[in-house]
Amino acid sequence: MPEFIGQLPKSEPAWNAISSVQSCQRYTQGIYFDCGNNSRLTLTILSPNLIRVRFSPAGELTPRRSWAVNLPDAEWNPSNFDIQETDELITVETEKIKICVQRHPCRMMCFDKSGNPFAHDTDLGIGWRKNQITNWKEITAEERFYGFGERSGLLNQRGKCLTNWTTDSLDYTMLTDEMYQAIPFFMSLRPNVGYGLFFNTTFWSQFDVGATQLNTLQLKTTNNELDYYIIYGPEPETIINTYTQLTGRMPLPPRWALGYHQCRWSYDSETEVRELVKQLRDRHIPCDVVHLDIDYMQGFRVFTWNKQRFPNPQKLIEDLQQQGIKVVTIIDPGVKFDPEADYQVCDQGLKNDYFIRRADGQVFHGYVWPDRAVFPDFMRGEVREWWGNLQHHLTDVGVAGIWNDMNEPALNDRPFGDLEGDKMTFPMDAPAGDGEDKTTWRETHNLYGMNMARACYEGLHKLRSQQRSFVLTRSGFAGVQRYSAVWTGDNHSKWEYLEMSLPMLCNLGLSGVAFVGADIGGFAGDASPELFARWMQMGMLYPLMRGHSMIETKRHEPWEFGQEVEDICRKYIELRYQLLPYFYTLFWQAANKGEPILRPLLYHYPNDSQTYELYDQVLIGSDLMAAPIYRPGVENRMVYLPEGTWYDWWSRESYPGSQHILIDAPLAKMPLFIRAGAIIPLISVMQYAEELPISEMRLLVAPGTGEFTLYEDDGNTFAYRDGMNSTTQYRVDLEASKVVVEIGERKGKWTPIQRKIIVEVIGFGEQQFTDDGSERRLVY
């Protein structure tokens, strides 16, 4: 804790305040406001529920940067709006919302069509001082705040001060502020009212969400211009759909990436990797991916292979592919400074001036795994292209995906072995980018990790043009979902990290990043058998299901914890594989609508106040709800059931919603429920995602009213973008005492192999048929 006693008082410079509106002028997409002393406020209406707000004290707005993550204003379809003026207000009204700008002094107020206020400026409005600009907004008593990217702690972020600055947050805790990801977006919810706010600044920024003043939200950045978007909901689904229109959506990953990933720092030799895969297959523990950490490299030089430990990587990977295993290799941004060792990555980067330089022109260096290292400037297009092409050193031997690490960036001022070394980052005054976009790292620091992931993604797309690849990153910014999956960095093998993982992943999902995971079992430290079993149960729910552990810890493979835990792990990994058609469809929804895969209950029940603080239950899609155990020695727990009827996954017992129930949860059981009206596709257990053609699919139907659209394609190529995919709509209804299941005609160009469909209605039995793509009606 900081020392308070004896500290000298400190005062900040006063804020300059926005003045009154002197005049206003309409233009094609919005309205300009002259606020005196050359200052200008601009409202741009991009869609009926999306407004861009920009303010410059100097009147001039910054030109669009090449690295901007937001969709250009000109690419939005024209949106109708009306303007009305009085002596007190200028009102801009769309089909969805009304924005009122007070003239004296200039303040902005937002209302929905029912007159409910949201995102109101306080009496302070907008202020600025040297290298800082801010906006104060009102917080109502009922408001809750979610998203903010990667955040430790629980779900609702109200009462916190949240900084957006990518940082190697090693050993983060519930109280950690700056994290690996910096995503300046949140959504605010209260009954029947909801909005999102994207703070469009790559500079250091901060949200004070009622921490300093209980009922005040403060947006602050070290930029000289205020730029943010207001997205009206009112429900989370609409907010996230619009936000991901603005910042982009994830590509559809290969189906194998949805399977189980096994990782450790490090499986450091070919022999060890082969033995690992043998154990997985002999023990019938499904797995699709093995990750190789830094020890596969020659002296930690990126894009090399250790000649002693991995003498023939191509043969190794070919052999693993025969067993259904894909290989993902780690890459860090630090390039070993090795100018006299015939190390091409270093030599090419120096020759072409691709590495970051200090303001005085000297090549910048820091210390990471290979000791002295230099760093590519990923803000430059030619550097990203060069780096992307370097992936061929890995793809040429069969590597199927890349894991980008240490890219906040994480580096020290001395060699890693020096215990006196301190963390550092690039000099803030060092040049970044080039051409008209040339700036400094003060503006682009937060973009470094994402642009490394972008370089990787674009390089793999070029090198593996016929196959989808997998990219994983530790650091990123808003829009990172366009290029990469994300994991929550270096967690610990402790119960509190297990508990924290669900709200962290849910808030990432509510920030547009759907393909997310946390290291199962915990990265640092030694998991107990009970903790590992419970973590594997919860990990089955993560969109990215990866087990990972740290060097010099106990091994964390499932069989290391005894037969009981191994059996539990197998059971839940097998369940993940049975649910792959369901998960794959959710990934399709994420790619097309931006919807999270792992969802807090408030996502579908935003008007149920019981869900606002509920962080330890999650929805997978809209139809499956899990209530994991995250405390030692616990064998039952309270579960909140939202409105409707819910069925226990294991016993098939039904429960009415809008109540809390007590559920038994012995070590082998994670409470899991199906929503009435749900239709869940299931397949037989496979040892890897593409082991066998799907010759049989079971549809588990919970009596009620609902529908589900199953998405399918070949799971591996980009043919789906040319229409080689299919969708089938299933619907269930109640008719008196009968249950009716309707199967729509399959749509699309992709045709699965001939298969048997078994439709099981809970409590009513099952029927089956051979699927030929035609519509059917089944009555129970």
Side-chain angles (χ1 to χ4, degrees), residues 558-576:
W559 51 87
E560 296 291 337
F561 298 91
Q563 192 64 50
E564 181 185 18
V565 172
E566 179 182 341
D567 292 344
I568 291 170
C569 291
R570 183 183 300 104
K571 172 183 175 180
Y572 283 89
I573 296 173
E574 287 180 346
L575 179 57
R576 170 68 169 230

Side-chain angles (χ1 to χ4, degrees), residues 387-403:
W387 191 264
N389 290 335
L390 287 173
Q391 321 291 316
H392 83 84
H393 292 285
L394 303 169
T395 60
D396 284 354
V397 298
V399 167
I402 302 295
W403 162 22

Side-chain angles (χ1 to χ4, degrees), residues 173-225:
T173 69
M174 295 277 284
L175 300 178
T176 300
D177 178 18
E178 298 169 356
M179 293 289 290
Y180 305 103
Q181 300 277 327
I183 302 177
F185 169 79
F186 69 81
M187 60 175 67
S188 163
L189 299 175
R190 65 184 196 266
N192 302 306
V193 181
Y195 75 94
L197 190 148
F198 172 50
F199 201 5
N200 186 33
T201 175
T202 61
F203 291 82
W204 178 98
S205 66
Q206 193 174 71
F207 296 107
D208 184 330
V209 193
T212 303
Q213 293 178 285
L214 181 63
N215 298 319
T216 301
L217 165 70
Q218 184 183 9
L219 323 177
K220 183 165 61 175
T221 179
T222 55
N223 195 358
N224 293 318
E225 176 187 322

